[in-house]
């Protein structure tokens, strides 16, 4: 047994040579980066050199768990870090469910996968035993079938499996990893990286326990956590993220018809209440979580019935629904299921279909381009066909499989102005014209347009800040970015909003003296964690390290921006009618943000800042 | 929410009419019978009239969980009570794994299934929603395939499934229920009762929580339980029941060649160490259990490799191995897997194959009878073939499918003296000539020859009692029977040996004041539980109620006996060499046992005893 509450080992898996090497987890490394995204960021920075093609054998897939994973203090997320085939930059993506705890129970904090297998392969991780298993018979199968076939061949239904579908195999640049049928590392195209390595799946079964430094205290705190969740869950426990459909529509910022509007007239057909009334069967939860925000749905009506699904979530519902002009919850749920099976990120898929539909509406794409598909708003039969074309790279699907940024360039004829992305990552389901802070978050998140790296909705929409003003937003986004990096390094869930309890839980689990650094401007938010005698903000360090990875790849200020539509076209209706983002103000906000962060005017972390964060080697890389 | 720590409802499912009716759980009923076997025993007694054919629609299948099921105080067992097609008497059988907690989470303490479906059916229990689902496409499929197909059709890998294989469909009288691939309600033929009702499977997914009366106290006690298990597990945590192979062989009571010997010369090839060295991959556990006594094995060598299996356990290993003269652990494991899949009880299967092999050795069965199968000791290829013949009732398999008692009668030519059973239930893996107390347990257990209703091995072999003497055994078996009925009413595991902690746990969970009744003769054993102000021994009540069910069916003293071999043939070798059970002494022991129990000399519970146990109505049935 190594460090308290850690698995104790990092394992390196070389797919080219079919070799496995293990390394003991170092305590200083653990203290410096905590786990999950923190571990992944440091290893990616150190081991993937600049300008490596994301599909080259030299790119790495780094799966990590955190110090609370697999304990009663529910932190179920398994972090996946790699170089993104969509952005060419840093990518981290989280998988909920059960695969994370299983990895910890197998005795590992991190798996680093490199190389490229000659033939399709899947990894079996069974405590000390790690095997390269043939996957020729699985290649071409969807993720649900792959899950079943591996369980069958292992005679084991307790094993947890993450796999790619045909989309990942075919290197669709927004292919995802699906685990436990319904849990995805969705964003950024990690599924295509697996595909490039001929890695079909990872099956994990662990049987070890997690050592806790102060058991009694830990038990008490995790009981407090459970209590707080059960008592504080409220409607979120019932609706999950579907709670936001109505809210965001009311505020006029629900992406509709490829961000042409922020109001969807048919919202009542697809909101949380509609889900409850028509398809929801029961709550579901990630490992050990008492929030149970997930919804298991039994769809008995509509063209695709009968089928069951865990989901859809808010993002999927909005991007596949309103953003494609689709007001049919059964069809949205079916498209969600289809994406889970073929292994496509639902956010990017909804975004790209919305883009294609706007191109079709504007005459930029015609029936000749689409092999006869009528890409009219809300045409879900066409959406299903288009998803198949993307998955198998047929016709227009082959173009779209490259992501909205590349596809819009290839299509030409002005299509680029309909491509809603940042750094190549397709925009998610909040229109930043209705909350400029989240726009700043999109622009400055390392993986591209991401709503969950600085989810300012709680302050801008549900809170007291003026959502249309840039006032206070740089500091807000800065604090949130640090906070989220802590959340993502611990592997806990953003939805919990209970970070203060985690300070105590982490201290009890590890035996370290963990301190929370409260922010004066936003006292309700924890800005960062530090561990006593380690005078470093851990979240800030991780954020800057990932930023440095991008800087090394050539990313600069010009990449920290938003699609032109948000600067040029005011929202045409609803509560945010007339609002757009003033580009000068955006620039001012960005400069102020850089200043707060200690970055120069090009957005490069200064030597001083990096040294302050104990990232001397990184400072050397960027500034020597 | 109903009673603390209970699901709160009993559900009646009529397969003939496809109707469902629910009833609130009554607090007096819960206090009087606790749960699991207790609930099943009372309902079976009340609702299945005497002389009902076990395969008639009027027979019922009663699945129940207990007050600790699904909590951190691991009590994972789901009890199945029905009228046995092997004995024609009371049958209770437990399933470990995860199906029990799932039933509790769905909000039920008990499901009572009656009637007979016209077509193959499976039940989907999804909280309030209970559906009769077509199972024509599942009929004929093995239990593993059934598990996969149901999960596929529900798009759900979180559902837990119990099912029968072709053996149950074909009414093999020792067919079992398989749940979660490797957990069985093994003994007594409950699988055939499902088959007679055309019930292929039950799929359960529950999403409710369990209300605990005193949470803080309960958490503390369950932490104590976990600690005690982790610290006290020792070799049992590593070997599980496989620990007993060597021990029982050393004591010369390991059933070998159909109980012709108690010593197996090849024991080192199949014992716990052999398992650890050759096939064991890792520990496995039932729901929430920190004992993790189960063994997951990866078999890479031998005629049947590669395959994986959870198991084999001690009983399977001994009955399929030594009892059939087989010293090949890989073959034993494969036969275990085969039985799990076709749905056959491994104990009865090993017993019946051993019986067939002795018949073959003695010339009572010849190649003409077996369709050319050479039933020589240790011939595992023939064993595999014979299992298939039994499953599909082909040739000799059709005879053997009736159980060893009926088969031996049908075969004739003196075969009855090789039939090792009590009341029709095949003997398990302890030769009672090496421990007469367990022989008394076999004779007086309500379901027939069962080692686990009064497992006296701890006192007779591992303890201080003279194993060959009848001295003190009636009291020992009496105490153990009560104790086991408590264990089986709580749904906890016999292997835990931690009943004192459960007294506190049950009090904290329910809010009742539960007291343990310690026995003066065996102070380390808890004789029974009672709940304050309810001056009744709950274990004794349940045991007598099941006994009364059998009495009503015509069972008397003459059924409380053992196969003649144990009275007539001394063990030929080993540490128990020369020992047999003196039939006069056995009779004396039985009389003393009846006296302790308050039964008359025919073995019928007296009116006085029944009234004392608050079973006035039962007294009326038996004595009016």
């Amino acid at each position: 047994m190594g460090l308290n509450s850690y698995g104790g080992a990092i394992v390196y898996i070389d797919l080219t040579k079919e070799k496995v090497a293990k390394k003991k987890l170092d305590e200083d490394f653990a203290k410096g980066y905590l786990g999950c995204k923190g571990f992944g960021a440091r290893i990616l920075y150190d081991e993937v050199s600049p300008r490596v093609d994301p599909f080259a054998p030299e790119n790495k897939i780094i799966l990590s768990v955190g110090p609370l994973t697999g304990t009663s203090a529910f932190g179920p997320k398994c972090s996946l870090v790699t170089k993104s085939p969509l952005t060419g930059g840093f990518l981290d993506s989280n998988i909920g469910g059960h695969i994370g705890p299983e990895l910890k129970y197998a005795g590992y904090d991190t798996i680093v996968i490199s190389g490229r297998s000659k033939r399709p392969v899947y990894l079996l991780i069974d405590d000390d035993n790690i095997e390269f298993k043939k996957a020729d018979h699985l290649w071409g199968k969807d993720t649900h079938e792959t899950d079943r076939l591996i369980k069958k061949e292992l005679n084991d239904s307790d094993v947890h499996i993450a796999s790619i579908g045909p989309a990942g195999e075919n290197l669709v640049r927004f292919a995802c990893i699906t685990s436990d049928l319904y849990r995805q590392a969705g964003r950024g195209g990690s599924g295509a990286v697996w595909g490039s390595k001929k890695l079909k799946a990872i099956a994990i079964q662990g049987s070890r326990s997690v050592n806790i430094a102060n058991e009694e205290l830990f038990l008490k705190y995790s009981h407090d956590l459970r209590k707080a969740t059960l008592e504080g869950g409220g409607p979120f426990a019932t609706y999950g993220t579907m709670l936001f459909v109505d809210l965001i529509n009311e505020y006029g910022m629900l992406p509709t018809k490829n961000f042409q509007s922020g109001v969807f007239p048919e919202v009542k057909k697809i909101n949380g209440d509609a889900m409850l009334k028509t398809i929801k069967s029961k709550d579901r939860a990630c490992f050990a979580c008492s929030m149970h925000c997930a919804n298991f749905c039994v769809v008995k009506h509509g063209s695709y019935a009968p089928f069951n699904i865990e989901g859809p979530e808010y993002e999927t519902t909005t991007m596949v629904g309103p953003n494609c002009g689709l007001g049919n919850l059964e069809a949205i749920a079916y498209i969600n299921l289809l994406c889970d099976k073929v292994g496509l990120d639902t956010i990017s898929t909804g975004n790209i279909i919305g883009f294609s539909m706007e191109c079709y509406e504007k005459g930029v794409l015609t029936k000749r381009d689409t092999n006869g598909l009528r890409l009219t708003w809300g045409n879900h039969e066409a959406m299903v066909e288009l998803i198949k074309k993307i998955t198998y790279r047929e016709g227009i699907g082959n173009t779209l499989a490259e992501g909205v940024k590349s596809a819009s360039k290839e299509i030409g004829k002005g299509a680029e102005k309909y491509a809603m992305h940042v750094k190549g990552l397709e925009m998610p389901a909040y229109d930043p014209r209705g909350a400029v802070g989240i726009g700043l978050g999109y622009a400055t998140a390392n993986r591209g347009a991401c709503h969950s790296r600085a989810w300012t909705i709680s302050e801008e929409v549900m809170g007291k800040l003026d959502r249309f003003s840039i006032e206070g937003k740089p500091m807000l986004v800065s604090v949130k970015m640090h906070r989220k990096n802590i959340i993502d390094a611990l592997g806990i869930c953003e939805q919990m909003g209970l970070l203060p309890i985690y300070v105590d839980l982490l201290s009890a689990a590890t035996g370290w003296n963990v301190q929370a650094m409260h922010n004066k401007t936003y006292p309700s938010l924890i800005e960062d964690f530090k561990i006593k005698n380690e005078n470093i903000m851990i979240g800030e360090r991780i954020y800057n390290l990932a930023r440095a990875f991008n800087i090394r790849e050539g990313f600069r200020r010009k990449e920290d921006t938003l699609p032109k539509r948000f600067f040029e076209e005011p929202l045409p209706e609803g509560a945010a009618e007339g609002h757009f983002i003033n580009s000068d103000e955006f620039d001012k906000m960005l400069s102020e943000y850089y200043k707060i962060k200690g970055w120069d005017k090009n957005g490069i972390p200064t030597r001083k800042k990096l040294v302050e964060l104990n990232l001397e080697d990184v400072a050397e890389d960027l500034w020597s």
Side-chain angles (χ1 to χ4, degrees), chain A:
Chain A
M1 194 62 71
L3 294 179
N4 281 319
S5 92
Y6 282 90
I10 297 178
V11 58
Y12 287 82
I13 297 175
D14 182 335
L15 292 172
T16 307
K17 298 182 185 156
E18 298 213 340
K19 284 210 168 154
V20 172
K22 292 171 192 174
K23 204 176 110 175
K24 217 180 129 186
L25 181 70
D26 178 76
E27 181 160 9
D28 287 341
F29 180 69
K31 278 183 173 166
Y33 298 93
L34 281 183
C36 290
K37 180 183 180 179
F39 286 3
R42 184 71 240 190
I43 293 169
L44 192 80
Y45 186 87
D46 288 346
E47 301 189 8
V48 175
S49 322
R51 282 165 300 281
V52 158
D53 186 299
F55 291 153
E58 290 75 23
N59 191 12
K60 299 196 176 181
I61 298 157
I62 306 157
L63 286 161
S64 309
V65 293
L68 298 174
T69 311
T71 73
S72 51
F74 27 90
K77 303 279 186 183
C78 176
S79 141
L80 190 156
V81 169
T82 191
K83 186 169 183 178
S84 166
L86 263 186
T87 70
F90 180 88
L91 171 64
D92 72 296
S93 186
N94 294 325
I95 316 176
H98 290 74
I99 192 104
E102 216 59 56
L103 182 60
K104 178 78 152 284
Y105 296 150
Y108 305 109
D109 303 293
T110 296
I111 330 176
V112 183
I113 301 167
S114 63
R116 176 189 289 153
S117 177
K118 279 188 203 74
R119 309 197 55 176
V121 72
Y122 80 88
L123 293 172
L124 174 64
I125 300 181
D126 184 14
D127 291 351
D128 285 340
N129 177 45
I130 297 182
E131 288 180 48
F132 298 83
K133 310 272 280 187
K134 280 188 187 168
D136 302 81
H137 60 300
L138 302 173
W139 207 250
K141 297 281 190 292
D142 73 37
T143 59
H144 284 212
E145 192 65 14
T146 300
D147 195 279
R148 276 191 295 276
L149 287 170
I150 292 177
K151 283 176 178 163
K152 177 178 180 176
E153 113 182 14
L154 300 177
N155 277 326
D156 189 358
S157 58
D158 285 357
V159 69
H160 288 275
I161 295 159
S163 68
I164 59 169
E169 298 171 9
N170 297 329
L171 308 185
V172 176
R173 285 181 189 263
F174 48 97
C176 68
I177 314 294
T178 289
S179 173
D180 296 324
L181 308 189
Y182 297 115
R183 293 285 162 180
Q184 276 78 26
R187 307 236 63 200
S190 57
V193 179
W194 285 36
S196 76
K197 297 192 177 308
K198 292 260 183 287
L199 177 63
K200 179 65 181 173
I202 304 182
I204 314 182
Q205 221 292 319
S207 69
R208 303 216 165 95
S209 51
V210 181
N211 220 31
I212 297 293
N214 189 331
E215 280 184 31
E216 209 157 319
L217 219 53
F218 189 80
L219 205 61
K220 185 202 159 325
Y221 293 143
S222 61
H223 188 54
D224 291 349
L225 174 67
R226 199 162 297 270
K227 222 168 167 174
T229 316
L230 286 170
E231 285 164 9
F236 191 76
T238 306
Y239 291 92
T241 56
M242 289 295 281
L243 197 59
F244 303 129
V245 177
D246 271 333
L247 179 80
I248 300 304
N249 189 64
E250 267 168 41
Y251 280 80
M253 51 185 289
L254 191 78
T256 299
K257 296 187 177 178
N258 199 36
F259 292 86
Q260 293 187 76
S261 172
V263 179
F264 185 58
E266 298 175 83
V267 74
K268 295 289 170 216
K269 292 189 194 167
I270 59 148
N271 65 8
D273 282 322
M275 175 191 67
L276 249 60
K277 270 183 218 143
T278 61
I279 60 172
K280 176 161 177 180
S281 161
K282 60 174 64 182
D283 294 333
R284 280 287 168 93
C286 287
F287 177 88
C289 179
S290 48
M291 180 61 91
H292 55 74
C293 72
N295 301 304
F296 194 83
C297 292
V298 173
V299 181
K300 294 182 177 171
H301 306 290
S303 332
Y304 306 101
F307 67 94
N308 297 348
I309 181 174
E310 188 183 306
E313 297 283 330
Y314 166 75
E315 293 287 333
T316 305
T317 301
T318 304
M319 295 310 292
V320 168
N323 196 56
C324 298
L326 176 61
N328 176 332
L329 191 56
E330 284 94 355
I332 292 169
Y334 178 74
I335 289 168
N336 187 354
L337 180 63
L338 182 62
C339 287
D340 290 354
K341 285 182 169 183
V342 300
L344 284 175
D345 174 27
T346 52
I347 297 178
S348 285
T349 301
N351 179 304
I352 286 174
I353 296 176
F355 157 80
S356 309
M357 286 175 161
E358 185 169 7
C359 286
Y360 192 87
E361 180 186 57
K362 303 282 160 66
V364 172
L365 284 177
T366 67
K367 262 166 117 171
R368 219 174 37 199
D369 302 306
T370 64
N371 282 81
L373 273 189
R374 286 180 56 249
L375 292 179
T376 49
W377 298 111
N379 181 353
H380 52 81
E381 287 95 346
M383 292 174 73
V384 167
E385 283 312 305
L386 193 56
I387 286 169
K388 290 179 185 166
K389 283 182 190 296
I390 290 169
T391 301
Y392 296 101
R393 287 184 166 272
E394 292 161 2
I396 185 76
N398 191 37
T399 304
L400 299 175
E402 293 295 301
V404 82
K405 183 180 169 186
S406 294
S408 66
K409 276 188 192 152
E410 196 182 321
I411 291 168
K413 304 180 207 167
E416 279 181 81
K417 66 175 172 287
Y418 311 130
M420 309 306 288
H421 69 90
V422 175
K423 299 184 175 74
L425 185 73
E426 290 78 13
M427 300 269 304
Y430 302 93
D431 192 311
R433 287 169 292 188
V436 293
I438 206 153
L440 181 61
Y442 288 162
T444 57
N446 287 308
R447 72 177 188 179
C450 177
H451 60 289
S452 79
R453 294 298 172 264
W455 195 72
T456 59
I457 299 304
S458 38
E459 292 75 20
E460 293 190 283
V461 174
M462 296 147 82
K464 289 174 184 164
L465 295 184
D466 176 355
R467 61 194 178 113
F468 302 117
S469 159
I470 63 167
E471 194 76 37
K473 302 301 169 71
M475 180 55 84
L476 175 67
V477 171
S478 172
V479 171
K480 286 239 150 182
M481 284 284 185
H482 295 181
R483 183 178 186 271
K484 189 61 194 333
N485 273 282
I486 284 295
I487 287 172
D488 287 343
L490 285 174
I492 63 177
C493 184
E494 173 153 34
Q495 303 299 351
M496 303 305 303
L498 292 161
L499 216 43
I501 296 185
Y502 283 103
V503 178
D504 295 332
L505 279 164
L506 189 61
S507 296
T510 57
W512 304 335
N513 187 344
V514 183
Q515 295 172 308
M517 309 308 295
H518 288 275
N519 184 273
K520 287 168 201 159
T521 317
Y522 300 103
S524 68
L525 293 176
I526 287 176
E527 187 177 7
D528 212 334
F529 274 18
K530 68 174 194 177
I531 293 160
K532 212 180 168 182
N533 306 324
E534 302 265 321
N535 197 20
I536 291 139
M537 308 301 189
I538 299 172
E540 185 173 14
R541 173 191 261 177
I542 298 167
Y543 181 50
N544 275 272
L545 184 59
R547 176 86 183 175
F549 181 90
N550 281 351
I551 295 293
R552 206 172 57 174
E553 295 289 344
F555 288 52
R556 293 293 182 276
R557 183 181 185 120
K558 68 178 187 310
E559 275 77 25
D560 290 351
T561 187
L562 293 170
K564 275 194 184 158
R565 169 163 281 164
F566 302 126
F567 297 124
E568 296 173 356
E569 298 176 23
L571 278 163
E573 56 192 327
E577 188 181 332
H579 285 278
F580 64 100
I581 302 174
N582 178 300
S583 65
D584 292 338
E585 284 200 344
F586 181 82
D587 241 35
K588 202 179 139 197
M589 179 165 69
L590 194 63
S591 295
E592 195 183 322
Y593 184 73
Y594 285 180
K595 214 166 143 190
I596 290 170
K597 298 248 69 64
W599 298 350
D600 74 5
K601 61 178 195 267
N602 287 316
I604 305 176
T606 59
R607 181 185 280 273
K608 182 166 166 273
K609 172 52 76 180
L610 292 169
V611 169
E612 183 191 312
L613 295 170
N614 269 15
L615 294 170
E616 289 85 356
D617 59 327
V618 177
E620 207 54 31
D621 289 348
L622 302 192
W623 293 106
S624 70

